[in-house]
Amino acid sequence: MREFVTKRLYKDVEGTCTGRYGYIVAVVAILDIQTGKIIPGHGSAEFEVKYSAILFKPFKNEVLDGVVESVNKLGFVTNAGPFQIFVSGSYIPSDMKLDMNTNPPSFHSDDQKIEKGTLVRIKIIGTLIDATKITAIGTIKEDYLGVIE
């Protein structure tokens, strides 16, 4: 029974997001599994499990690396691990111009180009935390941010 509960914990918990703790990246150790309680009229059992885990919860002013998912006229969306960061055009340096005629669309300057698949360094300027998802707004308009070469 312990093996079943352990496998179920890994399956149900890893990769999920809670608003309070952030993303549960990996369960590191199971500390305690209580004796199961039968749920009346259902035939199932419920187990209380205490475990330790690696968590990921982004904060304002944190700097992260991510991969550009898409570029549009408003800015671009980046995936940084399990969550997305939107960078608005107003938080992109003024020397970078949008070119929707290229395939894929891109922001480019004389020495940099941001398009789908580009690795960028972003500073988080705000987060929105829901019960099952975290999204953020970021900037590349500061020193040492932008395209990573």
Side-chain angles (χ1 to χ4, degrees), residues 10 37 85 139 141:
Y10 285 112
K37 296 178 184 152
I85 304 170
T139 182
K141 212 172 183 176

Side-chain angles (χ1 to χ4, degrees), residues 71-72 98-107 114-116:
V71 175
N72 61 44
L98 175 63
D99 187 356
M100 292 298 287
N101 295 325
T102 60
N103 190 14
S106 65
F107 283 93
I114 296 175
E115 62 186 2
K116 183 176 181 173

Side-chain angles (χ1 to χ4, degrees), residues 1 5 24-25 45 54 56 72 85 93 108-109 127 144-145:
M1 184 57 75
V5 172
I24 300 172
V25 177
I54 297 172
F56 174 63
N72 61 44
I85 304 170
H108 60 87
S109 64
T127 58
Y144 307 108
L145 300 178

Side-chain angles (χ1 to χ4, degrees), residues 5-102:
V5 172
T6 301
K7 285 181 181 178
R8 185 68 187 257
L9 174 73
Y10 285 112
K11 179 180 166 226
D12 289 351
V13 171
E14 285 185 338
T16 62
C17 178
T18 65
R20 184 174 180 188
Y21 298 113
Y23 287 94
I24 300 172
V25 177
V27 174
V28 177
I30 296 175
L31 306 174
D32 186 33
I33 299 176
Q34 299 288 324
T35 304
K37 296 178 184 152
I38 304 287
I39 300 172
H42 195 269
S44 298
E46 186 176 79
F47 294 84
E48 184 176 316
V49 180
K50 293 182 183 179
Y51 61 93
S52 62
I54 297 172
L55 304 174
F56 174 63
K57 186 174 184 182
F59 294 97
K60 186 177 179 179
N61 295 322
E62 186 173 0
V63 176
L64 297 170
D65 295 345
V67 178
V68 175
E69 174 73 21
S70 64
V71 175
N72 61 44
K73 63 183 178 182
L74 300 176
F76 63 89
V77 177
T78 301
N79 289 330
F83 85 111
Q84 291 188 325
I85 304 170
F86 174 70
V87 179
S88 170
S90 58
Y91 293 110
I92 297 172
S94 58
D95 67 329
M96 297 195 87
K97 304 299 179 199
L98 175 63
D99 187 356
M100 292 298 287
N101 295 325
T102 60

